[in-house]
Short mmCIF file of all heavy atoms in Angstrom, two decimals:
data_model
loop_
_atom_site.label_atom_id
_atom_site.label_comp_id
_atom_site.label_asym_id
_atom_site.label_seq_id
_atom_site.Cartn_x
_atom_site.Cartn_y
_atom_site.Cartn_z
N ALA A 1396 121.08 100.07 101.30
CA ALA A 1396 121.03 100.83 100.05
C ALA A 1396 119.79 101.72 100.01
O ALA A 1396 119.86 102.90 99.61
CB ALA A 1396 121.05 99.87 98.86
N PHE A 1397 118.65 101.17 100.40
CA PHE A 1397 117.42 101.96 100.44
C PHE A 1397 117.59 103.16 101.39
O PHE A 1397 117.12 104.26 101.11
CB PHE A 1397 116.25 101.11 100.93
CG PHE A 1397 115.69 100.15 99.91
CD1 PHE A 1397 114.72 99.23 100.30
CD2 PHE A 1397 116.10 100.14 98.59
CE1 PHE A 1397 114.17 98.33 99.39
CE2 PHE A 1397 115.57 99.24 97.66
CZ PHE A 1397 114.59 98.33 98.07
N ALA A 1398 118.24 102.92 102.54
CA ALA A 1398 118.42 104.00 103.52
C ALA A 1398 119.30 105.11 102.96
O ALA A 1398 119.02 106.30 103.16
CB ALA A 1398 119.01 103.43 104.80
N ALA A 1399 120.37 104.74 102.28
CA ALA A 1399 121.23 105.74 101.67
C ALA A 1399 120.45 106.57 100.65
O ALA A 1399 120.57 107.79 100.58
CB ALA A 1399 122.44 105.07 101.02
N TYR A 1400 119.65 105.88 99.85
CA TYR A 1400 118.81 106.53 98.86
C TYR A 1400 117.82 107.49 99.54
O TYR A 1400 117.64 108.64 99.13
CB TYR A 1400 118.06 105.46 98.06
CG TYR A 1400 117.12 105.97 97.00
CD1 TYR A 1400 117.50 106.00 95.66
CD2 TYR A 1400 115.84 106.39 97.33
CE1 TYR A 1400 116.63 106.45 94.68
CE2 TYR A 1400 114.96 106.85 96.36
CZ TYR A 1400 115.36 106.87 95.04
OH TYR A 1400 114.49 107.32 94.08
N GLY A 1401 117.17 107.01 100.60
CA GLY A 1401 116.15 107.81 101.28
C GLY A 1401 116.73 109.04 101.94
O GLY A 1401 116.13 110.13 101.89
N LEU A 1402 117.88 108.89 102.59
CA LEU A 1402 118.51 110.04 103.24
C LEU A 1402 118.94 111.07 102.21
O LEU A 1402 118.82 112.28 102.43
CB LEU A 1402 119.70 109.57 104.08
CG LEU A 1402 119.32 108.80 105.34
CD1 LEU A 1402 120.51 108.04 105.89
CD2 LEU A 1402 118.78 109.76 106.40
N ASP A 1403 119.45 110.60 101.06
CA ASP A 1403 119.86 111.52 100.00
C ASP A 1403 118.64 112.23 99.42
O ASP A 1403 118.72 113.41 99.04
CB ASP A 1403 120.59 110.75 98.91
CG ASP A 1403 121.19 111.65 97.85
OD1 ASP A 1403 122.12 112.41 98.17
OD2 ASP A 1403 120.72 111.61 96.69
N ALA A 1404 117.50 111.52 99.35
CA ALA A 1404 116.28 112.14 98.83
C ALA A 1404 115.81 113.27 99.75
O ALA A 1404 115.34 114.31 99.29
CB ALA A 1404 115.19 111.09 98.69
N ALA A 1405 115.93 113.06 101.06
CA ALA A 1405 115.49 114.07 102.02
C ALA A 1405 116.49 115.21 102.15
O ALA A 1405 116.09 116.36 102.37
CB ALA A 1405 115.27 113.43 103.39
N TYR A 1406 117.77 114.88 102.04
CA TYR A 1406 118.84 115.86 102.25
C TYR A 1406 119.79 115.80 101.05
O TYR A 1406 120.88 115.21 101.13
CB TYR A 1406 119.60 115.55 103.54
CG TYR A 1406 118.69 115.40 104.75
CD1 TYR A 1406 118.43 114.15 105.29
CD2 TYR A 1406 118.08 116.51 105.33
CE1 TYR A 1406 117.60 114.01 106.39
CE2 TYR A 1406 117.25 116.39 106.42
CZ TYR A 1406 117.01 115.13 106.96
OH TYR A 1406 116.18 115.00 108.05
N PRO A 1407 119.43 116.40 99.91
CA PRO A 1407 120.22 116.26 98.69
C PRO A 1407 121.63 116.81 98.79
O PRO A 1407 122.49 116.48 97.98
CB PRO A 1407 119.40 117.02 97.64
CG PRO A 1407 118.45 117.88 98.41
CD PRO A 1407 118.19 117.17 99.70
N GLU A 1408 121.89 117.62 99.83
CA GLU A 1408 123.26 118.12 100.02
C GLU A 1408 124.24 116.99 100.35
O GLU A 1408 125.46 117.17 100.28
CB GLU A 1408 123.31 119.18 101.13
CG GLU A 1408 122.92 118.70 102.52
CD GLU A 1408 121.43 118.82 102.81
OE1 GLU A 1408 120.63 118.87 101.86
OE2 GLU A 1408 121.08 118.86 104.01
N LEU A 1409 123.71 115.81 100.70
CA LEU A 1409 124.58 114.65 100.89
C LEU A 1409 125.28 114.24 99.60
O LEU A 1409 126.36 113.66 99.62
CB LEU A 1409 123.78 113.46 101.45
CG LEU A 1409 123.22 113.62 102.85
CD1 LEU A 1409 122.37 112.40 103.24
CD2 LEU A 1409 124.34 113.81 103.86
#
Side-chain angles (χ1 to χ4, degrees):
F1397 284 173
Y1400 179 99
L1402 289 163
D1403 187 67
Y1406 308 106
E1408 63 271 22
L1409 293 177

